[in-house]
Amino acid sequence: MQYIVTAQEMKKYESFAMERIGIPPLLLMERAAMEMRDVLMRYVRKKSRILVFAGTGNNGGDALAVGRLLAEKGAEVSFYMPGNRRRVSAETRKQLSILRNLGFAVFSKLPEAEYDIVIDGLFGIGLSRDIEGVYESAVEEIARFRAKGALVASVDIPSGISADSGKALGRCVYADLTVTFEYGKAGHYLYPGKVAAGRLFIRRIGLDGRALKEAGLPSFFTYPGKELQNRLPVRNPAGHKGSFGRVLLIAGSRGMAGAAILCGRSIFRTGAGMLKIITPDSNREILQTTLPEAMVDSYGEMPNLDGARKALSWADVVVAGPGMGQGEDAKALLYQVLAGKCGDGREGERALVLDADALNLIAGSQKLQEAVCSYKKGRMIMTPHPGEFARLSGLTMEEYGRDRKRAVQSLARRFGCVIVGKDAVTLAAAPEEGPVFLNLSGNDGMAVAGSGDVLAGVIGGLLAQGLPPYEAACAGVCLHGYGGDAAARARSRYGVMASDIIEGVMDVICRVKEV
């Protein structure tokens, strides 16, 4: 597990190191500068011309120290501080003093020259308002140097990017690389911050791990690629098809068999042992032809609710929603899933994945919402995209985008379920207090019809093999994204189709698990 922090959390951890452990602030600054110097030495050539943009806060002090260390390695370094020097922090004042003692000038007017590397140290993670005035002009100058071919390297985070939301606060720097310290910040991974940061390097500077215990866990966590193998279910070599779970899929309306096929195939390809699909009669033939491994229970105008009750009793996991429509038949089936009595003592207990039309039905029905809230806490997973999320939560798209972490946590608590907020960067929250999962895998090629159906199936397949719902949701999102990455490598991001993501998921599983 890898933690991702907010600006306030990072400041708490640094304060713990300085006040409780006794590490001097200047020592942390020097460590940070040395780490960034080591990264930049990959790009520095003999007599490289480097320009340092330094703000008056500690981010500026970091940048000044980086420039000094690079000058020691033979680079030609110039320093520029556009702000009011009467407002510099104590540590940055010390860095200015060191540079003066070494004979360096720190200009208050931008030196006119050409540069190979520009170091952005105007603002760090503490910025909370729009950049303006001389700093806005400085950001524009950095963009001008980059357009002329200079490599731009940001200290901690590109100036003008919110460390918490990834949003641009007015003008922002677009860097080729960013070096951050100890933990990645949420703004490095959420758009547009993810683009602005360029290639991200995370370097340790010696903060004590006890800070996490005493100052509190970070707001976010993620799974690095190498950890995915530890998050997938362990297969029993002596198992049989029942050992790996029975999944009931309620999907596909008339003329919408594709969603059922994609989701059903994903369920099997992720490792579930058995699959039964409830769908209209019009989909029976194509499902039996395309997915012969699945059992098909089809219906005419209205579903047989007694048959659905028996199917629920048979199932360990239910996935409902892909392409199922929003008619009375779909509503009746969904209510049966949420509130129906099966007589097996597992009402409200089965792990349940709701996607697509199931979410739209719930958003429009108070009765279904009450049934959702009555379901056992934490056993249900909802996977809304932004539009579905807005309908479920009542938020506008602007409100949803303003603080996605708070939005997904609030909806998870309201419904007592796991929320997977699908987006360019997907977040997943449990109904209980705790860090939110922030997914790092995936690419824009996955923005294609059917991708969500595949994700619902991947999560359902993991649930069927015994993963708890929140773990299955996080691992499923991560696996789905890596499957999309594999598909993009094979097909290009322009050519990915949802079925390619399924193939990619299989490739990823083959790489991380012995099969």
Side-chain angles (χ1 to χ4, degrees), residues 146 158 161 173-176 187-199:
R146 186 171 187 242
I161 291 294
V173 169
Y174 280 84
D176 297 290
H188 292 136
Y189 305 109
L190 300 172
Y191 288 98
K194 187 171 184 177
V195 174
R199 185 178 179 187

Side-chain angles (χ1 to χ4, degrees), residues 163-178:
D164 294 345
S165 69
K167 294 191 177 303
L169 300 171
R171 296 297 297 268
C172 71
V173 169
Y174 280 84
D176 297 290
L177 67 91
T178 297

Side-chain angles (χ1 to χ4, degrees), residues 256-267 321-323 355-356 383 385 388 422 445-458 480 484 496-503 505:
M256 292 287 289
I261 293 168
L262 289 168
C263 190
R265 184 170 288 145
S266 301
I267 289 168
D355 183 42
T383 60
H385 62 51
E388 292 160 351
K422 296 185 294 193
M446 300 174 70
V448 63
S451 180
D453 303 324
V454 174
L455 175 60
V458 168
H480 178 255
V496 172
M497 297 174 65
S499 53
D500 299 324
I501 300 174
I502 302 173
E503 300 300 314
V505 166

Side-chain angles (χ1 to χ4, degrees), residues 211-229:
L212 290 179
K213 296 180 180 178
E214 299 201 23
L217 287 176
S219 291
F220 300 94
F221 73 97
T222 192
Y223 296 149
K226 293 181 180 178
E227 193 173 332
L228 181 59
Q229 63 181 335

